[in-house]
Amino acid sequence: MSIQRAEHAFLPNGWVQGHDQAVSAGSDAQVRWRLAGLPNLHSHAFQRAMAGLAERQNHPDDSFWTWRELMYRFAGRITPDTLQAVATQLYVEMLEAGFTSVCEFHYLHHQPDGRPYDDPAQMSRALIAAARDAGIRLTLLPVLYMSGGFDGRALSERQRRFGHTLDAYLSLLQRLRAEQDDTLAVGVALHSLRAVPAAAMRELLAAVGPDAIPIHIHIAEQIGEVQDCLALRGARPVEWLLANADVDERWTLVHATHLDAGEVQGITRSGATVAICPTTEANLGDGLFPLRDYLKAGGHWGIGSDSHVSVSPVEELRWLEYGQRLSTRHRNIAVSAQQPSTGELLYSQALHGGLRACGQGERAANDVIVLDAQAPALVGATPRDLLDRMVFAGNRCLVHEAHVAGKQLVSQGRHHQRDAVAQRYARALGELLAS
Ligand code: NGQ
Ligand code: ZN
């Protein structure tokens, strides 16, 4: 005997009712939930290997800046092989969690003493290979990093692995851009206003010209950098950027955490996307992004898992909303007159902002995940409540399948290479922890 199975799909244009399919009775769920996969707008893959290892006090006044010292020490030990093993593990975890593409903000370019590898793109290639092995769609963002602070000071010893002259950076970019394909896009990134002097920023942007290429930057994560920017450049970071660069829809401002009302309006008018990384921003004690004002202004945004203390779009979206609930003492903040479902508004806007920022156009919009329709959390679900249930009810991952560029990578919640990749990761982590 066969029954009809209804498919409901949540795609960039909202819910669509798919064709009913005949399936044998009793063998399967009676609905199929297919969702466009979410882009992960911000990743430092190597930091996955130190997740959970910076949660012990190491300074009486621990902060973002003391965490950064630990992170630098860890970064100093990463080799091309360990980077590839860690990134492959991370990308497998992303696919199993429902991220189908990732923007990799990559600044770990050189050998620990700052000398380029024989192939200056070797670390970039390790990331590209990791994404290919996992099957995730990659937007690789080689990062320009030139100075150690707003005052233009030289890079510290631990930052030498990150640094480029502008010419060396542009030649790396050109090489990598030549390797783009159906699932690999290459954009540009400025580490931060701290790390790129104003003149170099202008030269880089002139070299990029009007090309449709993603441009990402860390912008205003810590109050300390807002104060330094005010003191040395006479304006707040976002304010300064908007006044000194033609910020448009190609741009993604990562951690636009500290914004005043004018900056909220300015970003919205520019068409840029903001990348919010709620679990990392909480972990590092950054502050709360002004989501309510930003949504009211109509700004574009997406999410990133950044330092990977969590690898889950559900957790990023949930904490984005919960931060607002805790600070405003209200409920259901991310809603609008047309969209009263918090889960659906969050998912839909993170999807649209994500697709804008990853620069892979229509291709990425066809990557999908399929949920476990038989999970207890989805009993009796309807399109009206599906995304609210997924974002707010429970911790069990509901992702059953992930498909990128027409290829199925995850079945029954497991990536096809899960075990082999985990074994390589365990060996790499063993080496890193011993070194
Ligand atoms: C990074 N991470 O580049 O890995 C940064 C810390 C910095 C975050 N901002 C380093 N979450 O901003 O200088
Ligand atoms: Zn970052």
Side-chain angles (χ1 to χ4, degrees):
M1 199 181 84
S2 76
I3 55 165
Q4 292 295 304
R5 181 171 68 180
E7 183 185 82
H8 299 287
F10 188 77
L11 303 174
N13 290 327
W15 282 108
V16 275
Q17 170 90 48
H19 295 294
D20 289 0
Q21 302 159 304
V23 291
S24 53
S27 71
D28 210 340
Q30 292 177 21
V31 281
R32 181 173 158 92
W33 297 108
R34 191 158 64 93
L35 314 179
L38 284 185
N40 188 335
L41 293 194
H42 195 63
S43 165
H44 305 289
F46 75 89
Q47 290 175 19
R48 168 64 184 82
M50 62 172 284
L53 299 181
E55 311 301 327
R56 292 173 70 88
Q57 188 182 49
N58 78 83
H59 189 277
D61 202 15
D62 264 332
S63 68
F64 174 88
W65 305 104
T66 60
W67 167 84
R68 193 173 78 153
E69 280 310 311
L70 282 180
M71 184 274 279
Y72 282 175
R73 262 194 266 161
F74 202 80
R77 301 187 215 146
I78 307 279
T79 63
D81 286 348
T82 51
L83 179 62
Q84 186 172 336
V86 171
T88 312
Q89 172 68 24
L90 171 68
Y91 297 159
V92 162
E93 290 172 0
M94 284 186 191
L95 287 162
E96 289 183 349
F99 286 122
T100 45
S101 63
V102 58
C103 298
E104 184 62 41
F105 197 97
H106 166 53
Y107 57 82
L108 205 53
H109 299 295
H110 310 305
Q111 302 183 55
D113 63 4
R115 277 179 309 136
Y117 288 99
D118 290 342
D119 170 6
Q122 192 170 349
M123 293 294 250
S124 298
R125 290 190 208 293
L127 293 164
I128 293 171
R132 292 223 168 100
D133 286 350
I136 201 165
R137 189 180 289 287
L138 174 65
T139 298
L140 181 63
L141 303 161
V143 173
L144 177 63
Y145 202 121
M146 300 177 78
S147 62
F150 277 107
D151 55 4
R153 78 184 87 131
L155 300 180
S156 71
E157 206 177 303
R158 291 197 200 282
Q159 293 169 328
R160 276 188 211 137
R161 292 194 85 170
F162 318 156
H164 276 109
T165 62
L166 187 57
D167 284 346
Y169 175 81
L170 290 173
S171 96
L172 173 68
L173 184 65
Q174 195 179 16
R175 267 171 200 244
L176 294 172
R177 299 252 319 149
E179 293 185 22
Q180 296 182 104
D181 62 24
D182 185 42
T183 57
L184 170 66
V186 175
V188 304
L190 298 88
H191 181 273
S192 51
L193 294 180
R194 287 178 261 133
V196 180
M201 179 189 86
R202 290 198 182 93
E203 268 183 78
L204 170 61
L205 297 177
V208 167
D211 290 2
I213 167 171
I215 307 172
H216 289 221
I217 182 171
H218 287 138
I219 193 68
E221 181 171 16
Q222 285 284 316
I223 295 283
E225 68 185 327
V226 175
Q227 287 165 344
D228 286 354
C229 191
L230 265 169
L232 283 137
R233 296 201 184 171
R236 300 163 55 82
V238 169
E239 182 189 14
W240 188 90
L241 184 71
L242 292 170
N244 287 276
D246 292 323
V247 176
D248 57 22
E249 62 284 345
R250 297 176 303 168
W251 286 72
T252 296
L253 310 189
V254 183
H255 310 304
T257 311
H258 299 289
L259 300 179
D260 68 18
E263 291 172 318
V264 167
Q265 296 299 330
I267 297 176
T268 303
R269 267 198 306 275
S270 75
T273 303
V274 158
I276 316 168
C277 309
T279 61
T280 294
E281 289 162 9
N283 187 277
L284 298 180
D286 290 342
L288 277 178
F289 175 74
L291 182 72
R292 209 156 56 149
D293 298 342
Y294 192 73
L295 292 180
K296 213 179 286 165
H300 301 282
W301 62 274
I303 48 166
S305 62
D306 189 355
S307 68
H308 315 302
V309 284
S310 166
V311 182
S312 157
V314 166
E315 214 184 355
E316 298 305 333
L317 295 176
R318 183 185 298 174
W319 279 103
L320 182 59
E321 168 72 17
Y322 279 176
Q324 306 295 310
R325 293 191 189 185
L326 287 164
S327 71
T328 63
R329 289 182 252 128
H330 280 80
R331 300 191 69 249
N332 299 328
I333 307 297
V335 291
S336 67
Q338 309 77 38
Q339 183 47 274
S341 153
T342 311
E344 189 166 320
L345 183 138
L346 289 169
Y347 200 93
S348 156
Q349 294 206 0
L351 174 62
H352 281 110
L355 293 172
R356 270 171 100 79
C358 70
Q360 303 229 11
E362 288 301 303
R363 308 196 296 261
N366 296 320
D367 300 336
V368 292
I369 60 172
V370 175
L371 303 186
D372 175 9
Q374 286 172 311
L378 298 186
V379 172
T382 67
R384 190 183 147 88
D385 56 35
L386 190 275
L387 288 157
D388 289 331
R389 291 173 182 246
M390 179 174 160
V391 175
F392 293 103
N395 262 336
R396 225 188 89 187
C397 181
L398 298 171
V399 176
H400 221 43
E401 298 174 18
H403 303 251
V404 174
K407 219 165 133 187
Q408 181 165 355
L409 304 159
V410 173
S411 305
Q412 307 275 331
R414 291 179 69 88
H415 189 280
H416 298 167
Q417 304 294 328
R418 184 200 270 187
D419 295 339
V421 168
Q423 275 170 24
R424 255 197 294 157
Y425 175 72
R427 275 199 301 275
L429 199 64
E431 262 176 56
L432 284 170
L433 297 179
S435 65

